[in-house]
Amino acid sequence: MIYLKLFYEFFKTGLFAIGGGLATLPFLNQMALKTGWFTETDIANMIAISESTPGPIGVNMATYAGFTTGGILGAIVATLGLVMPSLIIIIIISKILTKFKDSRNVKNVFYGLRPASTALIAAAGYSVFIKSVITLEKFIDSGHFIDIINLKALILGVILFFAMKKFKLHPICFIIISAFAGIILKF
């Protein structure tokens, strides 16, 4: 039963997370609340692992979530659930698009999907920022307002942001630097 539910939930995510990757994050947050399969901390870990492993982020996140929920079979089922809508839609569109490739309406549909994809990715970025930088638990424990912000994470994020703009290194370099900073600074 868990495998059918995993497939169904990730099929819905794959069907509506236009843009894939981080655009799946709002759906994962909703899934976490609805099913209890994973926590917000698990989602943050999914993002970290998915960003630092080869392959599409959304697929990596589905595989990780499926594995934590249902083992190896859960990973396979969740991944298939996520990619199946894309496969079906691509096959259908490829058959139809050749007939309507010059249609103004088809072009307008694709232009309309771009802002939706951008909004989903921006919402995911905001969510990751809040989970990485805001530490309510520490604030509640200490009562000091300054403890609401994880200063180490904020400073590392700002440094990496500007370093990525200045130094045109491969993204894996920044992931490795971040991993070592996490070990040294003990986030």
Side-chain angles (χ1 to χ4, degrees), residues 139-168:
F139 169 69
I140 291 169
D141 290 343
S142 71
H144 296 98
F145 185 71
I146 192 70
D147 287 338
I148 202 165
I149 297 173
N150 182 341
L151 227 43
K152 292 177 189 175
L154 181 62
I155 291 168
L156 179 61
V158 169
I159 289 170
L160 287 172
F161 177 80
F162 287 109
M164 282 189 258
K165 295 294 180 193
K166 182 170 174 71
F167 306 107
K168 304 297 182 197

Side-chain angles (χ1 to χ4, degrees), residues 103-133:
S103 167
R104 188 76 181 139
N105 287 334
V106 170
K107 289 179 183 178
N108 290 341
V109 165
F110 286 116
Y111 281 116
L113 290 175
R114 288 180 185 170
S117 178
T118 303
L120 286 170
I121 292 169
Y126 173 77
S127 176
V128 170
F129 174 79
I130 293 299
K131 289 175 187 165
S132 299
V133 175

Side-chain angles (χ1 to χ4, degrees), residues 26-40 43:
F27 295 95
L28 286 174
N29 286 327
Q30 188 65 30
M31 197 183 306
L33 292 172
K34 181 179 171 186
T35 64
W37 288 338
F38 36 83
T39 65
E40 287 186 12
I43 292 173

